[in-house]
Amino acid sequence: MLGSESEKDKMIRGEWYNANFDKELIDERNYVKDLCFKLNQTKPSDTRIRKRILIDILQNVNFDTVEILSPFMVDYGYNIEIGEGSFLNHNIYLMDCAKIKIGKHCFIGPNCGIYTAMHPFSVEQRNKGLEMAKPITICDNVWIGGDVTILPGVTIGEGSVIGAKSLVNKDIPRGVAAAGNPCKVIKHIGKEIFV
């Protein structure tokens, strides 16, 4: 139908959209997942080839200072920003149905999942393929330990540290250490010196 809104438009605006049965979104996911597969089959020592593939996956990232280890997976790629000096360890999944913004000098440990999508509680609605996505922001200088899960709509404040195996389902303020399931603030980070 002419003039009707696409499911992609609804996804970008943060409304309920059909993720599972929309050809445009399926084609976009298949395209970038093929690129991720190619990246994940490329030898780590083939740095020039890896960089070219990563540029195709993540057009909004400067790979002169950003490092991403394989395996690595995204849903679309175009909804991801990663600031300079950031490092993503092995087995990161960025479910970027909404914007995922990772700041400068962030360290993300292995086996982390950053998930923007959520589904209706209603079985009938889920079976129709509906979902909604909320953006995730990880501010500058954040360190996220291994096996951390970050859920839709979360912001992690500048300079904070998230302990391994945490489930982050609410915003975390700046300058704190937080951990647990659900993730909670443990302490404020001062100017400790580790020797």
Coordinates of all heavy atoms in Angstrom, one line a residue, residues 3-87:
G3 N 2.3 4.9 0.7 CA 2.2 5.8 1.8 C 2.2 5.1 3.1 O 2.2 5.8 4.1
S4 N 2.2 3.8 3.2 CA 2.1 3.2 4.5 C 3.5 3.1 5.1 O 4.5 3.1 4.4 CB 1.5 1.8 4.4 OG 2.4 1.0 3.6
E5 N 3.6 3.1 6.4 CA 4.9 3.1 7.1 C 5.5 1.7 7.0 O 4.8 0.7 7.1 CB 4.7 3.5 8.6 CG 4.2 4.9 8.8 CD 4.1 5.2 10.2 OE1 3.2 4.5 10.9 OE2 4.8 6.1 10.7
S6 N 6.8 1.7 6.9 CA 7.5 0.4 6.9 C 7.7 -0.1 8.3 O 7.7 0.7 9.3 CB 8.8 0.5 6.2 OG 9.7 1.2 7.0
E7 N 7.9 -1.4 8.5 CA 8.2 -1.9 9.8 C 9.5 -1.4 10.3 O 9.7 -1.1 11.5 CB 8.2 -3.4 9.7 CG 6.9 -4.1 9.4 CD 5.8 -3.7 10.3 OE1 5.9 -3.8 11.5 OE2 4.7 -3.2 9.8
K8 N 10.5 -1.1 9.4 CA 11.7 -0.5 9.8 C 11.5 0.9 10.4 O 12.2 1.2 11.4 CB 12.7 -0.4 8.6 CG 14.0 0.2 8.9 CD 14.9 0.1 7.7 CE 16.3 0.7 8.0 NZ 17.2 0.6 6.8
D9 N 10.6 1.7 9.8 CA 10.3 3.0 10.3 C 9.8 2.9 11.8 O 10.2 3.7 12.7 CB 9.3 3.8 9.5 CG 9.8 4.2 8.1 OD1 11.0 4.3 8.0 OD2 9.0 4.3 7.2
K10 N 8.9 2.0 12.0 CA 8.4 1.8 13.4 C 9.5 1.3 14.3 O 9.5 1.8 15.5 CB 7.3 0.7 13.3 CG 6.0 1.1 12.5 CD 5.0 0.0 12.5 CE 4.0 0.1 11.4 NZ 3.2 -1.1 11.3
M11 N 10.3 0.4 13.8 CA 11.4 -0.1 14.7 C 12.3 1.1 15.1 O 12.6 1.3 16.3 CB 12.3 -1.1 13.9 CG 13.5 -1.6 14.7 SD 14.5 -2.8 13.7 CE 15.5 -1.6 12.7
I12 N 12.7 2.0 14.2 CA 13.6 3.1 14.5 C 12.9 4.1 15.4 O 13.6 4.6 16.3 CB 14.0 3.8 13.2 CG1 14.8 2.9 12.2 CG2 14.8 5.1 13.4 CD1 16.1 2.4 12.8
R13 N 11.6 4.2 15.3 CA 10.9 5.1 16.2 C 10.6 4.5 17.6 O 10.1 5.2 18.5 CB 9.6 5.6 15.6 CG 9.8 6.7 14.6 CD 8.5 7.4 14.3 NE 7.3 6.5 14.1 CZ 7.0 6.0 12.9 NH1 7.6 6.3 11.8 NH2 5.9 5.2 12.9
G14 N 10.9 3.3 17.8 CA 10.7 2.6 19.1 C 9.2 2.2 19.3 O 8.8 2.1 20.5
E15 N 8.5 1.9 18.2 CA 7.1 1.5 18.3 C 7.1 -0.1 18.1 O 8.1 -0.7 17.7 CB 6.3 2.2 17.2 CG 6.3 3.7 17.4 CD 5.6 4.4 16.2 OE1 5.1 3.7 15.3 OE2 5.6 5.6 16.2
W16 N 5.9 -0.7 18.4 CA 5.8 -2.1 18.1 C 5.9 -2.3 16.6 O 5.3 -1.5 15.8 CB 4.4 -2.6 18.6 CG 4.3 -2.6 20.0 CD1 3.6 -1.8 20.8 CD2 5.0 -3.6 20.9 NE1 3.8 -2.2 22.2 CE2 4.6 -3.3 22.2 CE3 5.8 -4.7 20.7 CZ2 5.0 -4.0 23.3 CZ3 6.3 -5.4 21.8 CH2 5.9 -5.0 23.1
Y17 N 6.7 -3.3 16.2 CA 6.9 -3.5 14.7 C 7.0 -5.0 14.5 O 7.2 -5.8 15.5 CB 8.1 -2.8 14.2 CG 9.4 -3.3 14.8 CD1 10.2 -4.2 14.0 CD2 9.8 -3.0 16.0 CE1 11.4 -4.7 14.6 CE2 11.0 -3.5 16.5 CZ 11.8 -4.3 15.8 OH 12.9 -4.8 16.3
N18 N 6.8 -5.4 13.3 CA 6.9 -6.9 12.9 C 8.3 -7.2 12.5 O 8.8 -6.8 11.5 CB 5.9 -7.2 11.8 CG 5.9 -8.6 11.4 OD1 6.9 -9.3 11.4 ND2 4.7 -9.1 11.1
A19 N 9.0 -7.9 13.4 CA 10.4 -8.2 13.2 C 10.6 -9.5 12.5 O 11.6 -9.6 11.8 CB 11.1 -8.3 14.6
N20 N 9.7 -10.4 12.7 CA 10.0 -11.8 12.2 C 9.4 -12.1 10.8 O 9.8 -13.1 10.2 CB 9.3 -12.8 13.2 CG 10.0 -12.7 14.5 OD1 11.2 -12.4 14.6 ND2 9.3 -12.9 15.6
F21 N 8.5 -11.3 10.3 CA 7.8 -11.6 9.0 C 7.9 -10.5 8.0 O 7.2 -10.5 7.0 CB 6.4 -12.0 9.3 CG 6.2 -13.2 10.2 CD1 5.7 -12.9 11.5 CD2 6.7 -14.4 9.9 CE1 5.6 -14.0 12.4 CE2 6.6 -15.5 10.8 CZ 6.0 -15.3 12.1
D22 N 8.8 -9.5 8.3 CA 8.9 -8.4 7.4 C 10.2 -8.6 6.5 O 11.3 -8.7 7.0 CB 9.1 -7.1 8.2 CG 9.3 -5.9 7.2 OD1 8.3 -5.5 6.6 OD2 10.4 -5.4 7.1
K23 N 9.9 -8.6 5.2 CA 11.0 -9.0 4.2 C 12.2 -8.0 4.3 O 13.4 -8.4 4.3 CB 10.5 -9.1 2.8 CG 11.5 -9.5 1.8 CD 11.0 -9.7 0.4 CE 12.0 -10.2 -0.6 NZ 13.4 -9.9 -0.4
E24 N 11.9 -6.7 4.4 CA 13.0 -5.8 4.4 C 13.9 -6.0 5.6 O 15.2 -6.0 5.5 CB 12.5 -4.3 4.5 CG 13.5 -3.3 4.5 CD 13.0 -1.9 4.7 OE1 11.8 -1.7 5.1 OE2 13.8 -0.9 4.4
L25 N 13.4 -6.2 6.8 CA 14.2 -6.4 8.0 C 14.9 -7.8 7.9 O 16.0 -7.9 8.3 CB 13.3 -6.3 9.2 CG 12.8 -4.8 9.5 CD1 11.9 -4.8 10.7 CD2 13.9 -3.9 9.7
I26 N 14.2 -8.8 7.4 CA 14.8 -10.1 7.3 C 16.0 -10.0 6.4 O 17.1 -10.5 6.7 CB 13.8 -11.1 6.8 CG1 12.8 -11.4 7.9 CG2 14.5 -12.4 6.4 CD1 11.6 -12.2 7.4
D27 N 15.8 -9.3 5.2 CA 17.0 -9.2 4.3 C 18.1 -8.4 4.9 O 19.3 -8.8 4.7 CB 16.5 -8.5 3.0 CG 15.6 -9.4 2.1 OD1 15.5 -10.6 2.4 OD2 14.9 -8.8 1.2
E28 N 17.8 -7.4 5.6 CA 18.9 -6.6 6.3 C 19.7 -7.4 7.3 O 20.9 -7.4 7.4 CB 18.3 -5.3 6.9 CG 18.0 -4.3 5.9 CD 17.5 -3.0 6.6 OE1 17.3 -2.9 7.8 OE2 17.3 -2.0 5.9
R29 N 18.9 -8.2 8.1 CA 19.6 -9.1 9.1 C 20.4 -10.1 8.4 O 21.5 -10.4 8.8 CB 18.5 -9.7 10.0 CG 17.9 -8.7 11.0 CD 17.2 -9.5 12.2 NE 16.2 -10.3 11.7 CZ 14.9 -10.0 11.5 NH1 14.5 -8.7 11.7 NH2 14.0 -10.9 11.1
N30 N 19.9 -10.8 7.4 CA 20.6 -11.8 6.7 C 21.9 -11.3 6.1 O 23.0 -11.9 6.1 CB 19.8 -12.5 5.6 CG 18.8 -13.4 6.2 OD1 18.9 -13.9 7.3 ND2 17.7 -13.7 5.5
Y31 N 21.8 -10.1 5.5 CA 23.0 -9.5 4.9 C 24.1 -9.3 5.9 O 25.3 -9.7 5.7 CB 22.6 -8.1 4.2 CG 23.8 -7.3 3.8 CD1 24.5 -7.7 2.6 CD2 24.3 -6.2 4.5 CE1 25.6 -7.0 2.2 CE2 25.4 -5.5 4.1 CZ 26.0 -5.9 2.9 OH 27.2 -5.2 2.5
V32 N 23.8 -8.7 7.1 CA 24.8 -8.4 8.0 C 25.3 -9.6 8.8 O 26.4 -9.7 9.2 CB 24.4 -7.2 9.0 CG1 23.4 -7.7 10.1 CG2 25.6 -6.5 9.6
K33 N 24.4 -10.6 9.0 CA 24.8 -11.8 9.6 C 25.7 -12.6 8.7 O 26.6 -13.3 9.2 CB 23.6 -12.6 10.0 CG 22.9 -12.0 11.2 CD 21.7 -12.8 11.7 CE 21.0 -12.1 12.8 NZ 21.8 -11.8 14.0
D34 N 25.6 -12.5 7.4 CA 26.5 -13.1 6.5 C 27.9 -12.5 6.6 O 28.9 -13.1 6.6 CB 26.1 -13.0 5.0 CG 25.0 -14.0 4.7 OD1 24.7 -14.9 5.5 OD2 24.4 -13.9 3.6
L35 N 27.9 -11.1 6.8 CA 29.2 -10.4 7.0 C 29.8 -10.8 8.3 O 31.0 -11.1 8.4 CB 28.9 -8.9 7.0 CG 28.6 -8.3 5.6 CD1 28.2 -6.8 5.8 CD2 29.8 -8.4 4.7
C36 N 29.0 -11.0 9.4 CA 29.5 -11.4 10.7 C 30.1 -12.8 10.5 O 31.2 -13.1 11.1 CB 28.4 -11.4 11.7 SG 27.9 -9.7 12.2
F37 N 29.4 -13.7 9.8 CA 29.9 -15.1 9.6 C 31.3 -15.0 8.9 O 32.2 -15.7 9.3 CB 28.9 -15.9 8.8 CG 29.4 -17.3 8.5 CD1 29.2 -18.3 9.4 CD2 30.0 -17.5 7.3 CE1 29.6 -19.6 9.1 CE2 30.4 -18.8 7.0 CZ 30.2 -19.8 7.9
K38 N 31.4 -14.2 7.9 CA 32.6 -14.0 7.1 C 33.7 -13.5 8.1 O 34.9 -14.0 8.1 CB 32.4 -13.1 6.0 CG 33.6 -12.9 5.1 CD 33.2 -12.0 3.9 CE 34.4 -11.8 3.0 NZ 34.1 -10.9 1.8
L39 N 33.4 -12.5 8.9 CA 34.4 -12.0 9.9 C 34.8 -13.1 10.8 O 36.0 -13.2 11.1 CB 33.7 -10.8 10.7 CG 34.6 -10.3 11.8 CD1 35.8 -9.5 11.3 CD2 33.7 -9.5 12.8
N40 N 33.9 -13.8 11.3 CA 34.2 -14.8 12.3 C 35.0 -16.0 11.7 O 35.5 -16.8 12.5 CB 32.9 -15.3 13.0 CG 32.3 -14.2 13.8 OD1 33.0 -13.3 14.3 ND2 31.0 -14.2 13.9
Q41 N 35.0 -16.2 10.4 CA 35.8 -17.2 9.7 C 37.1 -16.7 9.3 O 37.9 -17.5 8.7 CB 35.0 -17.8 8.6 CG 33.6 -18.3 8.9 CD 33.7 -19.4 10.0 OE1 34.4 -20.3 9.9 NE2 32.8 -19.2 11.0
T42 N 37.4 -15.4 9.5 CA 38.7 -14.8 9.0 C 39.7 -14.9 10.1 O 39.4 -14.7 11.3 CB 38.4 -13.3 8.6 OG1 37.4 -13.3 7.6 CG2 39.7 -12.7 8.1
K43 N 40.9 -15.3 9.7 CA 42.0 -15.5 10.7 C 42.3 -14.1 11.4 O 42.3 -13.1 10.8 CB 43.3 -15.9 10.0 CG 43.2 -17.3 9.5 CD 44.6 -17.8 9.0 CE 45.2 -17.0 8.0 NZ 46.4 -17.5 7.4
P44 N 42.5 -14.2 12.7 CA 42.8 -12.9 13.5 C 44.0 -12.2 12.9 O 44.1 -10.9 12.9 CB 43.1 -13.4 14.9 CG 42.4 -14.7 15.0 CD 42.4 -15.3 13.6
S45 N 45.0 -12.9 12.3 CA 46.2 -12.3 11.7 C 45.9 -11.5 10.4 O 46.7 -10.7 10.0 CB 47.3 -13.3 11.5 OG 46.8 -14.3 10.6
D46 N 44.7 -11.8 9.8 CA 44.3 -11.1 8.5 C 43.7 -9.8 8.9 O 42.5 -9.6 8.6 CB 43.4 -12.0 7.7 CG 44.1 -13.2 7.1 OD1 45.3 -13.1 6.9 OD2 43.4 -14.1 6.7
T47 N 44.4 -8.9 9.4 CA 43.9 -7.6 10.0 C 43.3 -6.7 8.9 O 42.2 -6.1 9.2 CB 44.9 -6.9 10.8 OG1 46.1 -6.7 10.0 CG2 45.4 -7.7 12.0
R48 N 43.9 -6.7 7.8 CA 43.3 -5.8 6.7 C 41.9 -6.3 6.2 O 41.0 -5.5 6.1 CB 44.2 -5.7 5.5 CG 45.4 -4.7 5.8 CD 46.2 -4.5 4.6 NE 46.9 -5.7 4.2 CZ 47.1 -6.0 2.9 NH1 46.8 -5.2 1.9 NH2 47.7 -7.2 2.6
I49 N 41.8 -7.6 6.1 CA 40.5 -8.2 5.6 C 39.5 -8.0 6.7 O 38.3 -7.6 6.5 CB 40.7 -9.7 5.3 CG1 41.6 -9.9 4.1 CG2 39.3 -10.3 5.0 CD1 42.0 -11.3 3.8
R50 N 39.9 -8.3 8.0 CA 38.9 -8.1 9.1 C 38.4 -6.7 9.2 O 37.3 -6.4 9.4 CB 39.6 -8.5 10.4 CG 39.8 -10.0 10.6 CD 40.5 -10.3 11.9 NE 39.7 -9.8 13.0 CZ 38.7 -10.3 13.6 NH1 38.2 -11.4 13.1 NH2 38.1 -9.7 14.6
K51 N 39.3 -5.7 9.0 CA 39.0 -4.3 9.1 C 38.0 -3.9 8.0 O 37.0 -3.2 8.3 CB 40.2 -3.4 9.0 CG 39.9 -1.9 9.2 CD 41.2 -1.1 9.2 CE 40.8 0.4 9.4 NZ 42.1 1.2 9.4
R52 N 38.2 -4.4 6.8 CA 37.2 -4.2 5.7 C 35.9 -4.7 6.0 O 34.8 -4.1 5.7 CB 37.8 -4.7 4.4 CG 38.8 -3.9 3.7 CD 39.0 -4.2 2.2 NE 39.2 -5.6 1.9 CZ 40.4 -6.2 1.8 NH1 41.5 -5.5 2.0 NH2 40.5 -7.5 1.5
I53 N 35.8 -5.9 6.5 CA 34.5 -6.5 6.9 C 33.8 -5.8 8.0 O 32.6 -5.5 7.9 CB 34.7 -8.0 7.3 CG1 35.3 -8.8 6.1 CG2 33.3 -8.6 7.7 CD1 35.7 -10.2 6.5
L54 N 34.6 -5.4 9.0 CA 34.0 -4.6 10.1 C 33.5 -3.3 9.7 O 32.4 -2.8 10.1 CB 35.1 -4.4 11.2 CG 35.3 -5.6 12.1 CD1 36.6 -5.5 12.9 CD2 34.1 -5.8 13.1
I55 N 34.2 -2.6 8.7 CA 33.7 -1.4 8.2 C 32.3 -1.6 7.5 O 31.4 -0.8 7.5 CB 34.7 -0.7 7.3 CG1 35.9 -0.2 8.1 CG2 34.1 0.4 6.4 CD1 37.1 0.2 7.3
D56 N 32.2 -2.7 6.8 CA 30.9 -3.0 6.1 C 29.8 -3.3 7.1 O 28.6 -3.0 6.9 CB 31.1 -4.2 5.2 CG 31.8 -3.9 3.9 OD1 32.0 -2.7 3.6 OD2 32.3 -4.9 3.3
I57 N 30.2 -3.9 8.3 CA 29.2 -4.2 9.3 C 28.8 -3.0 10.1 O 27.6 -2.7 10.3 CB 29.7 -5.3 10.3 CG1 29.9 -6.6 9.6 CG2 28.8 -5.5 11.5 CD1 30.7 -7.6 10.4
L58 N 29.8 -2.2 10.5 CA 29.6 -1.0 11.3 C 30.1 0.2 10.7 O 31.2 0.7 10.9 CB 30.3 -1.2 12.7 CG 29.9 -2.5 13.5 CD1 30.9 -2.7 14.6 CD2 28.5 -2.4 14.0
Q59 N 29.2 0.9 9.9 CA 29.6 2.0 9.1 C 29.9 3.2 10.0 O 30.6 4.2 9.5 CB 28.5 2.4 8.1 CG 28.2 1.3 7.1 CD 27.1 0.4 7.6 OE1 26.4 0.7 8.5 NE2 27.1 -0.8 7.0
N60 N 29.4 3.3 11.2 CA 29.6 4.4 12.1 C 30.7 4.3 13.1 O 30.7 5.0 14.1 CB 28.3 4.7 12.9 CG 27.1 4.9 12.0 OD1 27.2 5.6 11.0 ND2 25.9 4.3 12.3
V61 N 31.7 3.5 12.8 CA 32.8 3.2 13.7 C 34.1 3.4 13.0 O 34.3 3.0 11.9 CB 32.7 1.8 14.2 CG1 33.9 1.5 15.1 CG2 31.4 1.5 15.0
N62 N 35.0 4.1 13.7 CA 36.4 4.3 13.2 C 37.3 3.2 13.7 O 37.6 3.2 14.9 CB 36.9 5.7 13.6 CG 38.3 6.0 13.2 OD1 39.0 5.1 12.7 ND2 38.8 7.2 13.4
F63 N 37.7 2.3 12.9 CA 38.5 1.1 13.3 C 40.0 1.4 13.4 O 40.7 0.5 13.6 CB 38.1 -0.1 12.4 CG 36.8 -0.6 12.7 CD1 35.7 -0.3 11.9 CD2 36.6 -1.4 13.9 CE1 34.5 -0.8 12.2 CE2 35.3 -1.8 14.2 CZ 34.3 -1.6 13.3
D64 N 40.4 2.7 13.3 CA 41.8 3.0 13.6 C 42.1 2.8 15.1 O 43.2 2.5 15.4 CB 42.1 4.4 13.2 CG 42.1 4.5 11.6 OD1 42.3 3.5 10.9 OD2 41.9 5.6 11.1
T65 N 41.1 3.0 16.0 CA 41.4 2.9 17.4 C 40.4 1.9 18.1 O 40.6 1.7 19.3 CB 41.2 4.3 18.1 OG1 39.9 4.7 18.0 CG2 42.2 5.3 17.5
V66 N 39.4 1.4 17.4 CA 38.5 0.4 18.0 C 38.9 -1.0 17.7 O 39.2 -1.3 16.5 CB 37.1 0.7 17.6 CG1 36.1 -0.4 18.0 CG2 36.6 2.1 18.1
E67 N 38.9 -1.9 18.7 CA 39.2 -3.3 18.4 C 38.0 -4.2 18.8 O 37.5 -4.1 19.9 CB 40.5 -3.7 19.2 CG 40.9 -5.1 18.8 CD 42.3 -5.5 19.5 OE1 42.8 -4.7 20.2 OE2 42.7 -6.6 19.2
I68 N 37.7 -5.1 17.9 CA 36.6 -6.1 18.1 C 37.2 -7.5 17.8 O 37.6 -7.7 16.7 CB 35.4 -5.8 17.3 CG1 34.8 -4.4 17.6 CG2 34.3 -6.9 17.4 CD1 33.7 -3.9 16.8
L69 N 37.1 -8.4 18.8 CA 37.5 -9.7 18.6 C 36.4 -10.6 18.2 O 35.2 -10.4 18.5 CB 38.2 -10.3 19.9 CG 39.3 -9.5 20.5 CD1 39.9 -10.2 21.7 CD2 40.4 -9.2 19.5
S70 N 36.7 -11.7 17.5 CA 35.7 -12.7 17.0 C 35.6 -13.8 18.1 O 36.5 -14.0 18.9 CB 36.1 -13.3 15.7 OG 36.1 -12.3 14.7
P71 N 34.4 -14.5 18.1 CA 33.2 -14.2 17.3 C 32.5 -12.9 17.7 O 32.5 -12.5 18.9 CB 32.4 -15.4 17.5 CG 32.8 -16.0 18.8 CD 34.2 -15.6 19.0
F72 N 31.8 -12.3 16.8 CA 31.1 -11.1 17.0 C 29.8 -11.1 16.1 O 29.8 -11.6 15.0 CB 32.0 -9.9 16.5 CG 31.3 -8.6 16.6 CD1 31.0 -8.0 17.8 CD2 31.0 -7.9 15.4 CE1 30.4 -6.7 17.8 CE2 30.4 -6.6 15.4 CZ 30.1 -6.1 16.6
M73 N 28.7 -10.7 16.7 CA 27.4 -10.7 16.0 C 26.6 -9.5 16.3 O 26.6 -9.0 17.4 CB 26.6 -12.0 16.4 CG 25.4 -12.3 15.6 SD 25.6 -12.6 13.9 CE 26.4 -14.1 13.9
V74 N 25.9 -9.0 15.2 CA 25.0 -7.9 15.4 C 23.7 -8.3 14.6 O 23.7 -9.3 13.8 CB 25.5 -6.6 14.8 CG1 26.8 -6.2 15.5 CG2 25.7 -6.6 13.3
D75 N 22.6 -7.5 14.8 CA 21.4 -7.7 14.0 C 21.4 -6.9 12.7 O 20.9 -7.3 11.7 CB 20.2 -7.4 14.8 CG 19.7 -8.7 15.6 OD1 20.4 -9.7 15.6 OD2 18.7 -8.6 16.3
Y76 N 21.8 -5.6 12.8 CA 21.7 -4.7 11.7 C 23.0 -3.9 11.4 O 23.3 -3.7 10.3 CB 20.6 -3.7 11.9 CG 19.2 -4.3 12.0 CD1 18.6 -4.6 13.2 CD2 18.5 -4.7 10.8 CE1 17.4 -5.2 13.3 CE2 17.3 -5.4 10.9 CZ 16.7 -5.6 12.2 OH 15.5 -6.2 12.3
G77 N 23.7 -3.5 12.4 CA 25.0 -2.8 12.3 C 24.8 -1.3 12.2 O 25.6 -0.6 12.8
Y78 N 23.8 -0.8 11.5 CA 23.7 0.6 11.3 C 23.2 1.4 12.5 O 23.2 2.6 12.6 CB 22.8 1.0 10.1 CG 21.5 0.3 10.0 CD1 20.5 0.7 10.9 CD2 21.2 -0.7 9.1 CE1 19.2 0.1 10.8 CE2 20.0 -1.3 9.0 CZ 19.0 -0.9 9.9 OH 17.7 -1.5 9.8
N79 N 22.7 0.6 13.5 CA 22.3 1.3 14.8 C 23.3 1.3 15.9 O 23.0 1.5 17.0 CB 21.0 0.5 15.3 CG 19.8 0.9 14.6 OD1 19.6 2.0 14.1 ND2 18.9 0.0 14.4
I80 N 24.6 1.1 15.5 CA 25.7 0.9 16.5 C 26.7 2.0 16.3 O 27.1 2.3 15.2 CB 26.3 -0.4 16.4 CG1 25.3 -1.6 16.7 CG2 27.5 -0.5 17.4 CD1 25.8 -2.9 16.3
E81 N 27.0 2.7 17.4 CA 28.2 3.7 17.5 C 29.1 3.2 18.5 O 28.7 2.8 19.6 CB 27.7 5.1 17.8 CG 26.8 5.7 16.8 CD 26.3 7.1 17.2 OE1 26.9 7.7 18.1 OE2 25.3 7.5 16.6
I82 N 30.4 3.2 18.2 CA 31.4 2.8 19.2 C 32.5 3.9 19.2 O 33.1 4.2 18.1 CB 32.0 1.5 18.9 CG1 31.0 0.4 18.8 CG2 33.1 1.1 19.9 CD1 31.4 -1.0 18.4
G83 N 32.8 4.5 20.3 CA 33.8 5.6 20.4 C 35.2 5.1 20.4 O 35.5 3.9 20.6
E84 N 36.1 6.0 20.1 CA 37.5 5.7 19.9 C 38.1 5.1 21.2 O 37.7 5.3 22.3 CB 38.3 7.0 19.6 CG 38.3 8.0 20.7 CD 39.1 9.3 20.3 OE1 38.9 9.7 19.2 OE2 39.8 9.8 21.2
G85 N 39.0 4.2 21.0 CA 39.8 3.5 22.1 C 39.0 2.4 22.8 O 39.4 1.9 23.8
S86 N 37.9 2.0 22.2 CA 37.1 1.0 22.9 C 37.5 -0.4 22.4 O 38.0 -0.6 21.3 CB 35.6 1.2 22.7 OG 35.1 2.3 23.4
F87 N 37.2 -1.4 23.3 CA 37.7 -2.8 23.0 C 36.5 -3.7 23.4 O 36.0 -3.6 24.5 CB 38.9 -3.1 23.9 CG 39.3 -4.5 23.9 CD1 40.0 -5.1 22.8 CD2 39.0 -5.4 24.9 CE1 40.3 -6.4 22.8 CE2 39.3 -6.7 24.9 CZ 40.0 -7.2 23.8

